[in-house]
Amino acid sequence: MSLNINFNKNEDAMKMSLSRIKQLKTKIEEGGGKKAIEKQRDKNKLTPRERIEYLKDRDKSFIEIGAFAGYDMYEEYGGCPAGGTVAGIGYVSGRQCVIVANDQTVKAGAWFPITGKKNLRMQEISMENKLPIIYLVDSAGVFLPMQDEIFPDKEHFGRIFRNNAKMSAMGISQIAAVMGPCVAGGAYLPIMSDETLMVTGNGSIYLAGPYLVKAAIGENIDSETLGGAATHTEISGIADYKFDNEHECLDQIKKIMSKLGKNPSAGFNRATSIAPKTDATHLYGIFPEGNNSPYDMLEVIKCIVDDSEFDEFKMDYGKSILCGYARIDGWAVGIVANQRLNIKNKKGELQIGGVIYNDSADKAARFIMNCNQKKIPLIFLQDVTGFMVGSRSEHSGIIKDGAKMVNAVANSVVPKITIIVGNSYGAGNYAMCGKAYDPRFIFAWPSAKIAVMGGEQAAKTLLQIQVASLKTKGKEITPEDEQKLLSEIMERYEKQTSPYYAAARLWVDDIIDPADTRKIISESLAAANNNNEIADFKTGVFQV
């Protein structure tokens, strides 16, 4: 049991955070709202979440990705819940796969910039882990008022079809079920998939709809005749199957998935799973409210790993980072975690928890290289305020040691899974495998904060700059003015460092319940094990 005297207070704070997440997700899951859902029902169409629920195996986990995508964004257009797409990793007919479903209740399924980013992320997950991908198509195409932010650039709409072609060449199965409109450039997605299914009366595929055809060439034609299921299964030959309703269509996907051959696995070591000795909900009380109190990261690890057993690497060296081997749901893993206790080093100097020191960076780099040598996936548990600063650290070569760690993380070839449990500041975010360092999956606890530096330090720095600027313009700044400015800066900065802000922009794949950490890591490892192509580990040149 934790010796944390604030255990109950911390537990209450975490449960409050989880309650808020649940409320927000309930709202997000309404998509475009009840009226839009009723319109979907009037057309005998299911919502995207209903489609996924019917399709996926009920007895297996479904990990939603990007539930908060678009949160608090595009308010001038009425918002874009879940980025207008419901997506995740689940099982269909016993086969783990990626599922992507357009949400027609959100602006007719139109693509906002975040929609494109989310769909590209799902394809990236499919490619990195060689998972089959199922597209449930129901979209009006690009959201025209924002076409300049979704259409022409490298990571925009067109990249999806480029990925279709690349994924096909990689041997990744792609199945597209057209359950609604599939218009203009979007028409390429189902046709570039391996198999295309259509629902009669609702599904349609064409480069230009009836109105545009009339405007362009003067032809009068209805949607079904132009590009409906009968047209594309009987005349053009574009589609492979047609169905009278969505349930029949989804049943066919299950049949297709049940016959897929399996890829050779990566062969990551897995033993019989043993539950941790400590219940996962114990995590709620361990983690300090406000992220500003020391706690023992070892306690967190023991709530996640099998039999609460952690084989620590270099236990007495570089104590501000914990490194070691463990199993999570049977999977062998290497864990790199920031220790948040304040600890004295061998010289008797106090090392502040959550800060990366020279020796810690050196140890972590060596451990990461070891895991790559042994083909052991890496788990990063982030609660880091950055690298140690000051003359002593600079003279000791903190930049050199930090670069060594960053080099090892950047060149790591085994799957990396990152969980941001607390702070994720500055270069510490990079060294601990932040988004820019290609983790296979990256999730955040409700307590996560992501920023270039802590809120208080950043706010005071920005305040000094603003006050100096105002004074040069001859304005008199009273203490009350300064406090008002500071409060405004702090409010804005706190919003930008929240996990909701990060999840809205897909800096993280989702905000998760800490008690689900073990399950989510296990499913992520199962996905990673599908790809047996692991490159040779090379670090290139770095200061030793």
Side-chain angles (χ1 to χ4, degrees):
M1 174 61 71
S2 171
L3 297 178
N4 188 336
I5 60 173
N6 293 316
F7 188 92
N8 292 336
K9 182 182 176 184
N10 295 339
E11 184 178 43
D12 289 344
M14 183 63 77
K15 286 181 177 179
M16 285 288 289
S17 295
L18 291 170
S19 177
R20 186 189 177 206
I21 287 172
K22 186 176 180 180
Q23 289 173 356
L24 290 174
K25 280 194 172 181
T26 298
K27 180 64 177 174
I28 288 167
E29 287 172 5
E30 292 178 359
K34 293 179 180 178
K35 286 185 178 179
I37 291 173
E38 286 307 312
K39 286 183 180 179
Q40 193 89 333
R41 301 243 194 277
D42 291 341
K43 297 176 184 176
N44 295 318
K45 295 169 71 175
L46 302 172
T47 66
R49 293 183 185 278
E50 289 170 340
R51 289 167 179 163
I52 292 174
E53 183 62 28
Y54 183 82
L55 180 64
K56 71 181 181 66
D57 295 350
R58 303 281 177 88
D59 61 338
K60 299 284 184 71
S61 296
F62 179 77
I63 309 298
E64 185 167 356
I65 302 292
F68 282 95
Y71 173 71
D72 216 15
M73 297 169 65
Y74 314 118
E75 293 304 311
E76 66 273 32
Y77 298 113
C80 187
T85 300
V86 182
I89 301 169
Y91 293 80
V92 176
S93 299
R95 184 66 181 269
Q96 193 179 32
C97 60
V98 174
I99 305 174
V100 184
N102 299 121
D103 190 347
Q104 228 269 338
T105 70
V106 179
K107 292 288 187 295
W111 289 58
F112 285 72
I114 196 64
T115 315
K117 188 173 183 178
K118 181 171 177 178
N119 279 262
L120 288 172
R121 173 61 181 143
M122 300 315 297
Q123 287 185 320
E124 179 182 49
I125 289 172
S126 175
M127 288 189 282
E128 286 183 334
N129 301 289
K130 286 204 167 180
L131 291 176
I133 185 167
I134 299 167
Y135 307 101
L136 305 180
V137 185
D138 194 352
S139 172
V142 168
F143 185 61
L144 290 178
M146 302 190 76
Q147 63 85 26
D148 61 319
E149 296 182 48
I150 182 60
F151 172 69
D153 210 347
K154 181 179 178 179
E155 299 296 332
H156 282 178
F157 189 65
R159 185 80 171 183
I160 289 162
F161 318 126
R162 174 264 189 195
N163 285 351
N164 286 143
K166 290 286 187 180
M167 292 162 77
S168 184
M170 292 169 67
I172 295 170
S173 295
Q174 300 177 79
I175 301 167
V178 181
M179 298 172 156
C182 190
V183 185
Y188 287 104
L189 183 144
I191 310 313
M192 296 185 75
S193 297
D194 299 341
E195 298 191 69
T196 304
L197 301 78
M198 295 186 71
V199 177
T200 301
N202 284 324
S204 57
I205 304 172
Y206 34 63
L207 293 180
Y211 292 119
L212 185 54
V213 167
K214 172 67 175 176
I217 63 173
E219 181 182 2
N220 288 306
I221 191 168
D222 64 86
S223 179
E224 193 69 15
T225 305
L226 179 64
T231 295
H232 286 313
T233 55
E234 300 171 20
I235 301 173
S236 73
I238 281 175
D240 305 304
Y241 311 90
K242 66 176 178 180
F243 303 93
D244 292 331
N245 59 65
E246 293 191 6
H247 290 101
E248 290 178 0
C249 181
L250 294 169
D251 285 337
Q252 181 64 29
I253 294 176
K254 294 178 184 181
K255 291 178 183 178
I256 294 170
M257 290 294 293
S258 72
K259 297 177 178 65
L260 291 184
K262 291 188 177 181
N263 297 326
S265 75
F268 299 128
N269 187 281
R270 191 177 195 186
T272 302
S273 176
I274 303 173
K277 291 177 180 176
T278 308
D279 189 82
T281 56
H282 191 70
L283 291 167
Y284 300 162
I286 294 172
F287 198 85
E289 180 186 14
N291 299 20
N292 53 13
S293 301
Y295 65 93
D296 191 350
M297 181 63 87
L298 273 171
E299 284 196 64
V300 172
I301 292 171
K302 288 179 178 179
C303 290
I304 296 170
V305 302
D306 286 19
D307 204 28
S308 298
E309 186 177 308
F310 181 61
D311 185 12
E312 197 167 344
F313 176 80
K314 291 185 183 288
M315 182 187 297
D316 298 319
Y317 177 72
K319 292 185 178 182
S320 74
I321 289 184
L322 298 172
C323 298
Y325 304 103
R327 289 188 183 275
I328 295 178
D329 196 21
W331 295 104
V333 297
I335 296 175
V336 181
N338 303 110
Q339 176 57 285
R340 282 301 307 271
L341 291 178
N342 297 329
I343 300 172
K344 286 187 178 180
N345 64 16
K346 60 185 177 181
K347 298 178 183 178
E349 301 163 336
L350 184 67
Q351 293 192 338
I352 302 168
V355 178
I356 302 176
Y357 291 81
N358 299 71
D359 51 0
S360 302
D362 176 67
K363 176 175 82 171
R366 175 62 181 269
F367 180 73
I368 290 165
M369 289 190 281
N370 278 354
C371 287
N372 276 272
Q373 182 83 354
K374 299 172 183 176
K375 298 294 186 287
I376 298 174
L378 285 159
I379 311 299
F380 291 84
L381 301 178
Q382 279 200 19
D383 190 355
V384 57
T385 53
F387 285 87
M388 190 58 190
V389 297
S391 60
R392 179 177 294 173
S393 291
E394 297 292 358
H395 296 170
S396 298
I398 187 66
I399 298 174
K400 175 185 69 176
D401 291 323
K404 188 191 304 182
M405 182 178 174
V406 168
N407 196 311
V409 173
N411 286 296
S412 181
V413 295
V414 295
K416 299 169 290 190
I417 298 165
T418 300
I419 310 292
I420 303 175
V421 305
N423 301 321
S424 180
Y425 295 156
N429 170 282
Y430 303 154
M432 291 296 294
C433 198
K435 182 70 172 178
Y437 287 76
D438 295 327
R440 290 285 181 96
F441 299 94
I442 178 168
F443 296 97
W445 283 7
S447 44
K449 292 183 179 181
I450 304 171
V452 72
M453 65 177 74
E456 188 176 350
Q457 300 95 313
K460 288 181 178 178
T461 302
L462 290 168
L463 177 66
Q464 291 173 23
I465 294 169
Q466 286 194 24
V467 168
S469 175
L470 290 168
K471 286 182 176 178
T472 58
K473 295 174 182 177
K475 295 185 179 179
E476 184 179 340
I477 306 298
T478 66
E480 290 76 17
D481 293 333
E482 283 197 24
Q483 187 57 48
K484 184 180 177 182
L485 276 172
L486 181 62
S487 296
E488 290 173 354
I489 294 169
M490 280 290 290
E491 184 179 351
R492 183 171 67 251
Y493 202 83
E494 284 298 313
K495 179 181 178 181
Q496 292 176 352
T497 60
S498 80
Y500 302 105
Y501 194 90
R505 289 153 182 80
L506 291 172
W507 300 347
V508 296
D509 290 322
D510 203 7
I511 307 170
I512 64 170
D513 183 337
D516 290 336
T517 303
R518 174 179 163 87
K519 177 186 74 176
I520 285 170
I521 290 175
S522 176
E523 288 298 331
S524 299
L525 291 169
N529 198 43
N530 279 281
N531 188 352
N532 72 327
E533 296 178 7
I534 300 177
D536 294 332
F537 179 59
K538 299 177 182 178
T539 57
V541 178
F542 62 87
Q543 296 279 357
V544 296

